[in-house]
Amino acid sequence: MMITTDHGGRLVTVTAFGEFTVADYKEFEELVNYRIKFEGVVNLLIDLRQMTDFTLDMALEELRFARAHSHDFGRIAVLAGSPWVAMTAWLSQVFVDAEVSVFDDEVIARAWLEESP
């Protein structure tokens, strides 16, 4: 598994390939924590279309991180390739104040993030 990350201004983008592990999630957390520290509230674009699976410890870490940063996100766009990934994105919305939306088109997702207040 691996992830790629990118950031510009208040937007952090992460793309997951293969199995999403807790080590990958920690890498994502470091980048997000840095951006929050220097930019304030950030938007996320999370591309899970190439993800095949995730580990239980990653899922638990994601819940912990989301609860700890419930006020640090404006909008979260999730690019999902399967219904169960979309479902987990909606579950995450319970733990954050951000607007969370699931997309299958990256152009539309980026446009939605751009219109964020």
Side-chain angles (χ1 to χ4, degrees):
M1 167 60 188
M2 71 176 249
I3 63 169
T4 61
T5 58
D6 189 24
H7 56 86
R10 295 182 184 270
L11 178 64
V12 175
T13 303
V14 62
T15 305
F17 301 93
E19 184 179 60
F20 203 171
T21 67
V22 73
D24 299 314
Y25 199 85
K26 296 272 190 189
E27 180 183 330
F28 160 74
E29 282 182 8
E30 282 183 32
L31 174 61
V32 170
N33 283 331
Y34 181 83
R35 300 312 296 178
I36 289 169
K37 182 176 179 180
F38 292 101
E39 301 290 342
V41 173
V42 297
N43 291 330
L44 298 178
L45 176 60
I46 304 171
D47 187 346
L48 301 178
R49 294 173 295 180
Q50 305 299 315
M51 184 180 78
T52 57
D53 199 4
F54 60 89
T55 61
L56 180 59
D57 57 349
M58 188 288 301
L60 294 172
E61 182 65 17
E62 193 274 336
L63 291 174
R64 185 201 62 74
F65 182 77
R67 291 183 69 187
H69 293 277
S70 61
H71 306 293
D72 293 331
F73 302 108
R75 285 187 166 180
I76 301 172
V78 179
L79 292 167
S82 70
W84 64 269
V85 171
M87 185 180 74
T88 59
W90 289 112
L91 285 174
S92 295
Q93 192 169 10
V94 171
F95 297 101
V96 294
D97 290 341
E99 290 181 70
V100 178
S101 198
V102 177
F103 299 90
D104 56 10
D105 184 297
E106 185 172 346
V107 172
I108 294 170
R110 286 182 179 276
W112 181 75
L113 289 167
E114 290 282 326
E115 68 188 38
S116 164

